[in-house]
Amino acid sequence: MVGAMWNYRKSRKINPSRKRYGKKVKVGDKYMRVSIMGKSSKVLLILPGWNSISPILEFKPLAEKLSEYFTVITIEPLGYGLSDRTERLRGTCNIVEELHRCVENLGYCKYYILAHSISGLYCLEWCRQYEKEVEGFIGIDISVPGMEETNLCPIKTSIICKILLYKNWIFNIIGINRLLFFINPYKIIHLDKKYQYSMEERDILETLCLNGSINKTMLAEINQLNNNLLYVEMKKFPESIPVYQFLSSANCKIISTWKELHIKILVTDNPIIILEGSHYLHLEQKDSIVNHIIKWIRDLDEGKRNCSK
């Protein structure tokens, strides 16, 4: 049984004296948690999708592979993983300001960004505000303006997310999530099934799943989704920033305009690769994603060298 791999015990609050992963970075009066891997002069930031239980552990398998070529910084935004919660408005500008300040406080002023899902929405604004800092943007099935207008479902995306959040909250109260976690943790946490997490990491994931996955910060963020979509409506990535996008074949089948919506956020012709799999391509297709990214950046570097001759 898969659940037997995990160190199952009763739900409890995280003890501050317990060893935790990553590094704390002060952002205003709060702390964000980050993970830094690799020693390359090329820096790559990883930003998670909404409601990620633990961005650092979720993206760890991908980050490890990318750290052979980059200094990889996985950031847990406020409200995620082991980062602090906040009551500050979860508008696009506030979120971008917090994330950028975290990177600034770490001392990085040139970097690539890799974003999954909702973080891509914020990166449209990030790349416009800090155009000279961003060397390139990589999107993994990112959220885009116009997605609320698709005929996928008569219920708005933000409402669906809130329903899922409250369902998770109820399941926690009555103990269903604890049972599901014991039977098969992959049923309720998005993780790479082939990756061998340590017992300590599994323990942290269990605790976060059963205690920290539902909070007011995440709920406030999804309550702002419609406003945040409107905020970036008609906006595009700056022409000076190269963009490389991966789209899920599942979403392309479900939403007929999925690829078209991702083309609309581009000023110039930038690669859009459709990979077989679900919304969580970084878990299902990490080897392919790493190979594509490395080739793309090598081609960019070659182009820069040719232009400088």
Side-chain angles (χ1 to χ4, degrees):
M1 183 183 290
V2 178
M5 296 167 52
W6 297 77
N7 186 18
Y8 175 78
R9 52 177 64 92
K10 290 184 178 180
S11 170
R12 67 269 185 216
K13 297 293 182 183
I14 296 175
N15 186 331
S17 66
R18 291 163 60 89
K19 184 178 178 181
R20 300 183 179 190
Y21 56 67
K23 173 181 179 179
K24 287 171 64 174
V25 180
K26 191 166 187 181
V27 178
D29 61 346
K30 302 291 183 182
Y31 284 93
M32 281 187 184
R33 186 75 53 161
V34 304
S35 166
I36 303 175
M37 296 183 179
K39 297 180 180 179
S40 171
S41 59
K42 290 186 183 295
V43 177
L44 176 69
L45 312 179
I46 295 181
L47 303 175
W50 181 73
N51 200 27
S52 174
I53 299 295
S54 168
I56 286 175
L57 295 182
E58 178 182 327
F59 284 87
K60 187 182 177 187
L62 179 65
E64 282 186 347
K65 285 186 172 293
L66 287 168
S67 67
E68 297 176 25
Y69 310 92
F70 301 93
T71 294
V72 182
I73 303 168
T74 307
I75 303 176
E76 297 193 336
L78 296 178
Y80 289 70
L82 295 179
S83 288
D84 288 345
R85 313 312 187 209
T86 181
E87 294 183 4
R88 195 177 186 218
L89 182 69
R90 296 293 81 201
T92 295
C93 289
N94 284 352
I95 291 172
V96 169
E97 178 196 351
E98 293 158 4
L99 292 169
H100 182 265
R101 188 178 297 182
C102 176
V103 177
E104 191 176 47
N105 289 347
L106 285 168
Y108 298 105
C109 58
K110 286 286 185 181
Y111 44 81
Y112 293 85
I113 304 177
L114 184 153
H116 174 236
S117 197
I118 201 171
S119 285
L121 204 64
Y122 307 138
C123 287
L124 265 173
E125 182 63 20
W126 185 322
C127 290
R128 292 166 63 87
Q129 282 193 33
Y130 306 103
E131 183 176 349
K132 293 182 179 180
E133 296 181 10
V134 182
E135 298 190 281
F137 174 79
I138 302 154
I140 300 181
D141 219 38
I142 61 171
S143 304
V144 286
M147 71 181 202
E148 285 282 81
E149 299 172 9
T150 64
N151 59 0
L152 170 64
C153 181
I155 305 175
K156 287 185 177 293
T157 306
S158 57
I159 297 175
I160 295 173
C161 289
K162 279 188 274 189
I163 290 171
L164 292 173
L165 196 68
Y166 282 119
K167 183 207 78 171
N168 201 17
W169 176 63
I170 293 169
F171 276 23
N172 268 1
I173 290 175
I174 63 180
I176 291 178
N177 276 349
R178 187 178 296 115
L179 178 61
L180 290 174
F181 196 99
F182 177 65
I183 295 171
N184 187 347
Y186 300 110
K187 291 290 185 182
I188 54 176
I189 308 179
H190 296 293
L191 295 171
D192 187 337
K193 296 179 181 179
K194 297 178 181 178
Y195 188 80
Q196 294 298 312
Y197 286 99
S198 69
M199 291 303 295
E200 183 179 19
E201 289 168 339
R202 296 170 187 172
D203 189 49
I204 292 172
L205 281 166
E206 178 189 345
T207 306
L208 285 171
C209 176
L210 301 180
N211 290 288
S213 62
I214 303 163
N215 61 72
K216 291 180 179 179
T217 304
M218 281 191 178
L219 182 57
E221 182 180 0
I222 213 61
N223 281 333
Q224 279 293 314
L225 178 58
N226 293 335
N227 291 335
N228 289 340
L229 283 164
L230 286 172
Y231 184 81
V232 295
E233 189 177 23
M234 306 302 293
K235 291 185 179 181
K236 299 176 184 288
F237 284 101
E239 186 175 359
S240 64
I241 297 178
V243 177
Y244 201 100
Q245 297 190 79
F246 299 99
L247 299 185
S248 138
S249 62
N251 274 348
C252 287
K253 289 174 184 175
I254 295 169
I255 307 170
S256 60
T257 58
W258 196 233
K259 184 176 180 179
E260 180 186 336
L261 289 172
H262 287 78
I263 292 172
K264 285 184 178 180
I265 59 176
L266 303 173
V267 175
T268 56
D269 186 21
N270 283 274
I272 296 180
I273 309 298
I274 299 176
L275 294 179
E276 192 66 30
S278 73
H279 184 53
Y280 295 90
L281 293 172
H282 56 287
L283 303 176
E284 302 165 2
Q285 292 277 10
K286 67 176 180 292
D287 291 335
S288 180
I289 286 173
V290 170
N291 291 336
H292 277 289
I293 290 173
I294 298 310
K295 182 180 184 305
W296 176 61
I297 290 180
R298 282 175 178 166
D299 289 345
L300 289 177
D301 289 343
E302 184 64 29
K304 290 176 185 176
R305 283 193 292 269
N306 290 337
C307 287
S308 63
K309 289 180 179 178

